[in-house]
Amino acid sequence: MSTDTTNGSTDTDTESEVAALESRIDELESQLDSLESETEEEKKKMSIIATKGTLDMAYPPLILASTAAAFGWDVTVFHTFWGLDILHEEHSKDLQLSSVGNPSMPVPNAIGALPGMDRMTTKMMEQKIENNNTASIEELLETSLDMGVEFQACQMTIELMDYDEDNFYDGVTTGVGAATAIEDMAEADIQLLV
């Protein structure tokens, strides 16, 4: 008879322990949900507009976007006009660097205006990028996409430039209009025009 009491007591103890564990699990899940909602509310947001499609102007929005994403920021980059070339798989591999009108170029404008000089200065910059082990445009784009950066392609510019939406990198959001970009900027902590 004492054995039955012990088993009954053990069953009751086990049920109490299970109930306590279930209660603790519910409590922890509630705390986790609360932390997640607080994190979402506190998450910083950056909105960048990329308008240039030259090699030297492709890097700033990509570097800023990937860095902010690494810090846990919510980042959107709206690409319009020549900035669309950064998102275009084929065009992004052939971005040029203008040697004319760039005061930081070690080439005088008179020489920079000669035929073939843009191609030469572009090759020089590409060599510097390679020698420095700097990430390529494609690598920065893919890294940024993996980190959750949203790259948007302006619909009006896609139509104006007669681009095929299938030619953009996988993961690029197409069909985005100016109104959507403005709403995104209005909600952002930091807005940049590059």
Side-chain angles (χ1 to χ4, degrees):
M1 211 184 218
S2 63
T3 309
D4 292 336
T5 306
T6 306
N7 287 339
S9 170
T10 304
D11 288 343
T12 305
D13 290 344
T14 303
E15 289 173 9
S16 295
E17 290 173 5
V18 168
L21 285 173
E22 287 175 348
S23 174
R24 182 66 178 141
I25 288 170
D26 290 342
E27 181 184 329
L28 289 171
E29 286 177 345
S30 175
Q31 288 176 356
L32 183 61
D33 289 341
S34 176
L35 284 173
E36 286 176 355
S37 65
E38 284 177 22
T39 303
E40 286 299 316
E41 290 173 14
E42 294 174 11
K43 195 171 193 179
K44 298 277 189 185
K45 182 165 178 48
M46 177 184 279
S47 181
I48 302 171
I49 300 176
T51 63
K52 308 280 191 294
T54 59
L55 181 62
D56 55 331
M57 293 306 291
Y59 275 91
L62 295 174
I63 291 169
L64 291 167
S66 59
T67 302
F71 283 119
W73 286 47
D74 181 18
V75 183
T76 303
V77 186
F78 180 74
H79 292 257
T80 188
F81 282 84
W82 305 119
L84 278 183
D85 284 346
I86 300 168
L87 302 179
H88 193 280
E89 284 192 69
E90 186 180 320
H91 295 183
S92 67
K93 292 175 175 64
D94 194 33
L95 298 178
Q96 300 294 304
L97 179 65
S98 178
S99 54
V100 176
N102 188 339
S104 296
M105 288 298 293
V107 177
N109 280 337
I111 295 173
L114 294 173
M117 284 304 293
D118 283 352
R119 192 74 208 136
M120 188 175 95
T121 55
T122 298
K123 285 293 182 197
M124 288 170 49
M125 180 56 81
E126 288 172 342
Q127 190 62 52
K128 276 187 144 185
I129 289 168
E130 186 178 323
N131 291 344
N132 195 47
N133 292 323
T134 301
S136 68
I137 300 301
E138 183 178 7
E139 290 168 334
L140 282 171
L141 266 165
E142 290 174 357
T143 298
S144 297
L145 285 165
D146 289 344
M147 295 170 69
V149 172
E150 181 179 1
F151 289 103
Q152 301 174 339
C154 174
Q155 186 61 41
M156 183 202 72
T157 308
I158 290 172
E159 293 169 8
L160 179 68
M161 305 291 193
D162 200 28
Y163 282 137
D164 183 346
E165 293 180 10
D166 294 334
N167 291 332
F168 293 112
Y169 285 94
D170 290 339
V172 169
T173 304
T174 56
V176 180
T180 302
I182 289 170
E183 285 177 19
D184 186 72
M185 286 182 277
E187 296 170 1
D189 297 290
I190 295 178
Q191 305 91 6
L192 301 171
L193 173 64
V194 180

